[in-house]
Amino acid sequence: MDRKGILIVVSGYSGVGKGTLMKALTARYDNYALSISATTRKPREGELDGREYFFKTKEEFEELIAKDRLVEYANYCGNYYGTPRDYVEEQLGQGRDVILEIEQQGALKVREKMPDVLLLFVMPPDAQTLVQRLRGRETESEEVIRERLAQAVEESKYVDRYDYMIVNEDLDRAVEELHRLIGSQHNKISRNLDFTKQIQQELMALV
């Protein structure tokens, strides 16, 4: 039976540890592909096209929009950012599970275009732990931290649109839970209709 990859969107509050979780997951298992975004911003020193981002001109990006070749996109601070459909479909066709680490607005746009997407939300064990992690970065002022917490309050209103949550209290446990959850999706009947129909036809031929 051919195994087609699954598209997964991972969101979560700022400071919850999404990036750390994704790095640990992809380091432990080789069947995952972290999606690479396209952008119109200029490459920073050390960044390579096709590794950090697919760097596009504004005209190239708007052509992708016009041809519906983006799973989702947005404009931040005058630059476009988006997920190329061709890259995602290529990875899925190779049997790899593709993970998009994006915010909620983008996640819901992906579901509109690709209803089979698995939406996962990373949660802290409690609010105080989230505050401690934000302060532990030692890169943001108290004012910025308060802004991020206010943003988290707004984001919490949309969590019920996701399929599952992952509580990131213990990293190893969260990685294994995430891996098992994604793996279980491969066995859903709705994702295996061709195979179930094939078995049905084989059984009918034996009667």
Side-chain angles (χ1 to χ4, degrees):
M1 182 176 66
D2 291 335
R3 178 189 184 276
K4 186 178 180 182
I6 291 174
L7 180 62
I8 306 113
V9 167
V10 175
S11 306
Y13 306 127
S14 177
V16 78
K18 300 183 297 296
T20 302
L21 183 56
M22 294 304 99
K23 287 179 182 177
L25 179 71
T26 54
R28 191 171 301 181
Y29 301 102
D30 60 6
N31 61 299
Y32 295 107
L34 290 178
S35 180
I36 302 173
S37 296
T39 183
T40 56
R41 79 159 173 78
K42 300 297 183 185
R44 294 172 184 154
E45 186 176 352
E47 290 183 332
L48 295 177
D49 182 54
R51 188 179 69 183
E52 281 78 18
Y53 287 94
F54 295 112
F55 293 101
K56 305 289 184 183
T57 65
K58 182 181 178 183
E59 292 73 22
E60 288 172 336
F61 200 102
E62 291 180 344
E63 184 177 356
L64 292 174
I65 296 173
K67 292 182 176 179
D68 194 27
R69 300 316 302 165
L70 294 168
V71 176
E72 56 81 32
Y73 71 93
N75 193 309
Y76 296 104
C77 301
N79 286 307
Y80 283 119
Y81 294 84
T83 303
R85 183 186 291 270
D86 290 348
Y87 176 81
V88 169
E89 291 179 347
E90 177 186 351
Q91 295 296 318
L92 292 175
Q94 293 175 3
R96 305 192 77 191
D97 295 329
V98 180
I99 300 176
L100 279 62
E101 186 189 326
I102 56 178
E103 41 71 43
Q104 289 174 317
Q105 182 182 7
L108 299 179
K109 286 182 180 178
V110 173
R111 170 145 283 173
E112 289 177 7
K113 289 194 173 185
M114 306 180 79
D116 282 345
V117 65
L118 176 63
L119 299 186
L120 303 176
F121 199 90
V122 182
M123 301 283 284
D126 52 65
Q128 191 58 43
T129 298
L130 185 65
V131 174
Q132 292 171 356
R133 290 177 182 174
L134 286 169
R135 287 181 175 149
R137 292 175 171 180
E138 297 183 349
T139 57
E140 297 166 339
S141 66
E142 284 296 316
E143 181 181 356
V144 171
I145 290 174
R146 284 194 297 272
E147 290 174 358
R148 294 197 181 282
L149 292 174
Q151 182 182 4
V153 171
E154 289 302 308
E155 291 173 339
S156 68
K157 299 175 182 177
Y158 299 94
V159 172
D160 61 354
R161 300 192 187 186
Y162 283 69
D163 298 309
Y164 298 97
M165 69 174 185
I166 302 292
V167 178
N168 188 18
E169 182 172 13
D170 177 85
L171 180 60
D172 284 340
R173 189 180 306 135
V175 168
E176 289 307 311
E177 184 177 351
L178 181 57
H179 179 64
R180 285 194 299 269
L181 187 56
I182 295 171
S184 69
Q185 299 300 299
H186 283 279
N187 294 325
K188 288 182 68 174
I189 293 293
S190 60
R191 295 184 186 272
N192 293 279
L193 293 178
D194 288 343
F195 179 70
T196 57
K197 186 175 182 179
Q198 174 191 331
I199 297 298
Q200 180 189 32
Q201 291 173 343
E202 291 175 358
L203 289 170
M204 290 172 63
L206 297 174
V207 176

